[in-house]
């Protein structure tokens, strides 16, 4: 078990300014013993099994994982409260000796189980304003706790939210470090956001650009250990719109926007239209570094999605598409901090043939059919069928287009027990992206 580290100087500054300048009045006369007596315990237990049938001579993977979270939170004392949680994952002796046969995300980057104190925070609430400081879960389009194995992404941050404006949530945060399965250098340890940021750029040991044989560039080796300033606005009433900006100090600035509107028709039919975009641009020392190599990390994503639903039958039909901009000299650099807001998720694609990116200029499309099984008496159960096509720009990476067929079953078996089955079959002329995948999960919340 690892000792929790202190907050950075920037986090302490945000905490001090928020507490002295932005806090609203609180009621006096609260009792510390009562606050402690109101403490609660919560968490979850989760069991998973992953099977991955790989093609192209690669070894198949078969992995079982078990673990969960145990946490507690005090009651409030003059608006303040404390929260902490311990996370763990293990194999119960089922892990294979050959690490190549172990799923890449069930355990740490070395394929070994781990545990950590994932949440350790002080909270302050005044009116409709909330302040969190310390290790915490974080939810936004590009930085997200995103839970797809047993231990999710977790962050060290100071987060200030306010809901005084009608139907609107405002967020200001400084995120300094993260742990979790979307980290690049470590899952089990909290590392700086610059070190955990993903870039498709591969470099040789001497720092030279080396697409086929190099290792993925660690941006912190160029800019040092830096964090990310986050600002967000979400409005949700008759329609939904949100805008987020992520300023990674000396790394990347990303602006994300999306909108959603719903129209109801007769006969239990509704139509939902959605649009999204984000733009990524290198900044500061990272920009200077790429410029010296004749490269850039400036590109955009655009997406549209339409969903037609029939309530009585429980059927929903959705069609979505995304398009990435960029060219041969564009490095795919993005947070990789757990936020995957794209309407059509792009599988991890390796830069090959001396290229620096595989997603620049790519196009994706997906057709999905969702069946809410309550229409046949199976409450809180659903089936999702998907067919996706990933069109990689042949001028950048030829013969790598991917077709993905998927099936997801979700069930809430009781108020505390849920289950999920996901099956996916990918086909591609590039054997890296040709495989069949199954994930089973059973979760108990308490």
């Amino acid at each position: 078990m690892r000792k929790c580290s202190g907050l950075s100087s920037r986090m302490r500054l945000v905490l001090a300014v928020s507490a002295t300048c932005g806090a609203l009045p609180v009621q006096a006369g609260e009792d510390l013993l009562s606050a402690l007596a109101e403490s609660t315990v919560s968490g979850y237990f989760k069991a998973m099994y992953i099977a991955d049938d790989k093609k192209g001579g690669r070894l198949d993977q078969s992995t079982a994982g078990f673990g969960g979270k145990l946490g507690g939170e005090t009651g409030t004392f003059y608006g303040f409260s404390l929260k902490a949680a311990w996370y763990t994952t293990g194999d119960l002796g089922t892990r294979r000796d050959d690490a190549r046969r172990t799923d890449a995300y069930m355990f740490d980057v070395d394929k070994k189980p781990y545990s950590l104190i994932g949440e350790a925070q002080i909270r302050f609430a005044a009116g409709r304003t909330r302040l969190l400081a310390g290790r915490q879960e974080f939810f936004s389009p590009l930085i997200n706790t995103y839970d797809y194995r047993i231990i999710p992404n977790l962050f060290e941050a100071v987060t200030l939210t306010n809901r005084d404006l009608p139907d609107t949530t405002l967020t200001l945060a400084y995120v300094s470090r993260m742990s979790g399965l979307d980290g690049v250098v470590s899952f089990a340890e909290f590392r700086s956001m610059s070190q955990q940021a993903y870039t498709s750029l591969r470099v040789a040991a001497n720092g030279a650009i080396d697409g086929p044989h190099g290792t993925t560039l660690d941006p912190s080796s160029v800019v040092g250990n830096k964090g990310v300033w986050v600002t967000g606005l979400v409005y949700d009433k008759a329609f939904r719109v949100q805008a987020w900006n992520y300023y990674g100090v000396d790394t990347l600035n990303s602006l994300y926007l999306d909108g959603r509107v719903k129209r109801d028709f007769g006969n239990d039919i509704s139509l939902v239209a959605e649009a999204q975009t984000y733009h990524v641009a290198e900044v500061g020392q990272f920009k200077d570094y790429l410029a010296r190599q004749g490269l850039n990390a400036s590109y955009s994503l655009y997406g549209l999605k339409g969903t037609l639903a029939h309530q009585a039958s429980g059927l929903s039909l959705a069609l979505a598409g995304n398009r990435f901009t960029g060219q041969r000299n564009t490095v795919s650099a993005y947070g990789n901090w757990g936020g995957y807001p794209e309407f059509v998720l792009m599988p991890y694609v390796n830069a090959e043939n001396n290229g620096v990116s595989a997603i620049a200029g790519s196009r994706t499309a997906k057709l999905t059919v969702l069946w809410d099984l309550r229409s046949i008496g199976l409450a809180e159960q659903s089936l999702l069928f998907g067919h996706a096509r990933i069109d990689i720009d042949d001028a950048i990476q030829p013969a790598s287009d991917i077709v993905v067929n998927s099936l997801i079953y979700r069930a809430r078996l009781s108020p505390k027990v849920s289950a999920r089955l996901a099956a996916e079959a990918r086909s591609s002329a590039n054997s890296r992206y040709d495989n069949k995948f199954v994930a089973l999960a059973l979760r108990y919340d308490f």
Side-chain angles (χ1 to χ4, degrees), residues 49-55 58-63 100-105 149 424 426 432 434-439:
Y49 174 72
I50 305 292
D52 194 346
D53 177 15
K54 297 178 178 292
K55 307 302 181 183
R58 297 174 297 155
L59 293 177
D60 296 341
Q61 294 180 341
S62 176
T63 310
R100 294 174 298 173
R101 295 186 177 274
T102 300
D103 175 65
Y105 301 105
R149 287 295 187 270
E424 186 172 276
R426 300 177 184 173
R432 283 180 180 268
D434 194 357
N435 69 307
K436 296 181 175 63
F437 180 89
V438 174

Side-chain angles (χ1 to χ4, degrees), residues 310-315 371-381:
H310 182 241
Q311 186 174 351
S313 67
L315 290 172
W371 187 17
D372 186 338
L373 299 180
R374 73 177 66 246
S375 61
I376 58 172
L378 300 176
E380 297 193 77
Q381 299 183 51

Side-chain angles (χ1 to χ4, degrees), residues 299 324-328 330-332 357-362 392-393 396:
Y299 64 96
F324 287 93
T325 66
Q327 32 81 13
R328 292 194 64 85
T330 302
V331 174
S332 306
S357 173
I359 71 171
S362 63
I392 307 297
D393 188 345
I396 295 177

